[in-house]
Amino acid sequence: MGETTVTTLEGREEAVPSPVADAAGQGFLRRLRTPRRPRLWFEILLIAVSYWTYSQIRNAVPEQRGQALRNADWIWRVENDLGIAVEQSVNHAVNSATWLIVGMNYYYATLHFVVTLGVLVWLYRSHPGRYAATRLVLFATTAVALVGYYFFPLAPPRLMTGGHFVDTVMVHQTWGSMASGDLKHMSNQYAAMPSMHIGWSLWCGLTIFTLAKLPWVRILGLLYPAATLMVIVSTANHFWLDAVGGMLCLAFGFAVSRVWYGAFPYALPRTVAVRGVEGRWLPTKA
């Protein structure tokens, strides 16, 4: 059904795709790619299931301790060759100020989730037309990070053998980090490359800077990933190059969204169409 047949010179019948079927298929794909108003219950369920799945896959990656430590030594040598291996100095300097490093420990354990969810809620409420495309950037960024965790296990600086880094959570007994203490058994300790603290914070920062109206809010958007970079290095949870990996993952996420929606998420209309009484889609007011 939906196809016609023609008889060839040899007398055989061949199916020819129906133009109506092709148009229907293209119409279905077009509907999938058209931004529409997100549904709250679906978004809550999607985010919860997606993060649970991400956590399960990330933690299911074999903890290849030996290879992860060898990779950490290699990263450290590369950074030394490049003249950017200052993580140890930063770690020790910040650790000497107890109030500062304790604050950074809590920053690392909480804001990664709190700010990201806050930006998603803000997009949902204020930029529904851009929400799905921007959310896709975040999801694609996180998904491709799993590839890095699987193929390039990496120990964080605090776990390096003979690295002389300070595990600031262990030393100061701060609460909440999945990276140290009693909670470390619930998280893959050798999934440091790429850094999703950087991937997510840069996603938040770019979104805020591009879409926010108040200048001081836009400035805070830019400062957030910069502060996060300082935190992940000071707490010895990541190398500088882990941050580069997170940025590359984010670039991949933007590319996926650009291909799917035909435009960068921030360039899409702020609002979405709504279905009228006659079933037609009508534009909403900005």
Side-chain angles (χ1 to χ4, degrees):
M1 186 173 182
E3 294 183 342
T4 60
T5 59
V6 296
T7 303
T8 64
L9 293 176
E10 291 80 6
R12 293 175 298 179
E13 290 187 343
E14 293 184 355
V16 178
S18 169
V20 175
D22 289 346
Q26 293 175 1
F28 175 72
L29 181 60
R30 189 182 304 111
R31 286 195 297 274
L32 284 179
R33 299 174 67 180
T34 300
R36 60 186 60 191
R37 181 171 294 279
R39 298 179 179 179
L40 181 59
W41 67 267
F42 176 78
E43 293 303 323
I44 293 175
L45 180 63
L46 178 63
I47 292 172
V49 171
S50 298
Y51 184 73
W52 179 85
T53 303
Y54 162 75
S55 299
Q56 293 300 311
I57 295 175
R58 181 180 187 271
N59 296 336
V61 174
E63 290 196 356
Q64 305 173 56
R65 182 176 183 274
Q67 185 61 50
L69 290 172
R70 287 191 293 272
N71 287 340
D73 290 336
W74 179 78
I75 288 285
W76 191 233
R77 287 197 302 272
V78 169
E79 290 195 351
N80 274 282
D81 292 340
L82 295 175
I84 59 173
V86 297
E87 290 94 332
Q88 188 182 95
S89 299
V90 173
N91 172 238
H92 284 256
V94 177
N95 185 65
S96 63
T98 301
W99 65 271
L100 181 58
I101 196 60
V102 167
M104 286 188 172
N105 284 343
Y106 287 123
Y107 180 116
Y108 184 88
T110 59
L111 292 192
H112 179 53
F113 305 101
V114 172
V115 176
T116 304
L117 286 174
V119 172
L120 281 170
V121 171
W122 173 60
L123 283 170
Y124 176 88
R125 291 175 58 88
S126 301
H127 298 269
R130 297 162 179 152
Y131 174 84
T134 313
R135 183 199 61 200
L136 178 59
V137 174
L138 183 65
F139 279 26
T141 298
T142 307
V144 76
L146 295 172
V147 179
Y149 300 149
Y150 187 87
F151 289 103
F152 193 77
L154 180 67
R158 60 186 175 78
L159 293 182
M160 285 181 64
T161 303
H164 305 294
F165 285 90
V166 178
D167 188 334
T168 60
V169 171
M170 290 292 292
V171 169
H172 299 282
Q173 293 297 302
T174 49
W175 167 88
S177 175
M178 297 292 288
S180 301
D182 295 335
L183 295 177
K184 67 182 179 181
H185 303 294
M186 299 172 61
S187 177
N188 186 350
Q189 296 297 287
Y190 305 109
M193 172 67 86
S195 168
M196 281 299 93
H197 272 74
I198 291 300
W200 288 15
S201 66
L202 190 56
W203 174 86
C204 292
L206 291 174
T207 300
I208 294 171
F209 177 77
T210 305
L211 300 181
K213 295 180 179 180
L214 297 176
W216 66 270
V217 175
R218 300 181 69 199
I219 292 174
L220 286 179
L222 292 180
L223 291 177
Y224 175 55
T228 300
L229 178 60
M230 180 58 65
V231 166
I232 67 173
V233 171
S234 299
T235 56
N237 278 295
H238 289 284
F239 296 98
W240 294 121
L241 291 182
D242 298 347
V244 175
M247 294 175 188
L248 292 176
C249 288
L250 182 63
F252 173 82
F254 273 107
V256 170
S257 183
R258 172 67 175 80
V259 169
W260 182 253
Y261 286 98
F264 286 107
Y266 308 137
L268 294 171
R270 185 177 69 86
T271 57
V272 292
V274 296
R275 190 181 294 275
V277 293
E278 297 179 357
R280 292 177 298 181
W281 290 94
L282 305 173
T284 59
K285 294 182 179 180

